[in-house]
Amino acid sequence: PITVDYRAGVATLQPSEIRGTGTDLRFQGVIPVNSNAPASLTLLGNVDLRIVQLVQPDLDTSGQVQFDINSHGTVSNPNIVGQVRLVNVTALPSGMPLGLEQGNGVLTLKNNRLEVTKFTGTVGGGPVKASGAVTFRPSLQFSLAMEATGIRFQYPQGLRVTVDSNLALI
């Protein structure tokens, strides 16, 4: 069971766990709903990405997302730190010319920033790499880069294309 206690404008999520095939996720937290009380949230464990197929059956997914996240602070100024690891992630949408295979990476959370510390994978038979960061406060800012080499696909039907790319999102 997942238990949430509510008292004096503060919701307390008691230590809880979701377990299943390839999934073991533990979490707990304190969330002020209508007060300035300190907030905290802890999320540890891993999720098997095959679960995505329950809500998106035309997307072939596999691999794991591993969480090690801690947050302490206030709702208006949370101090979020930790990592999200992508391990052998595959996402192949049916009917689409491209999908991700063997995606591995580390996303690092530091207060108001998500850094792509490392990301590699394969798209259309070619290697891809990504790096950069997204800053959330005081305003949303992107500084992301992706490098791809030898990506092959057919689109439209009968036309074979090979692409090399350097993409920047700023």
Side-chain angles (χ1 to χ4, degrees), residues 34-100:
N34 57 9
S35 74
N36 275 342
S40 68
L41 181 64
T42 301
L43 180 64
L44 297 168
N46 55 283
V47 174
D48 187 329
L49 287 177
R50 289 181 292 177
I51 197 168
V52 172
Q53 294 172 27
L54 294 174
V55 294
Q56 192 69 38
D58 61 341
L59 182 63
D60 183 16
T61 55
S62 64
Q64 286 195 337
V65 179
Q66 300 173 345
F67 297 95
D68 183 0
I69 298 173
N70 254 311
S71 172
H72 298 281
T74 62
V75 171
S76 61
N77 189 24
N79 179 19
I80 302 171
V81 294
Q83 288 189 335
V84 177
R85 293 182 182 276
L86 306 173
V87 181
N88 294 324
V89 171
T90 294
L92 301 170
S94 65
M96 297 296 289
L98 294 173
L100 173 68

Side-chain angles (χ1 to χ4, degrees), residues 84 107-110 112-116 132-136 144:
V84 177
L107 309 175
T108 303
L109 291 158
K110 294 180 179 177
N112 62 343
R113 187 174 167 90
L114 174 69
E115 295 178 7
V116 180
V134 177
T135 302
F136 304 109
L144 297 169

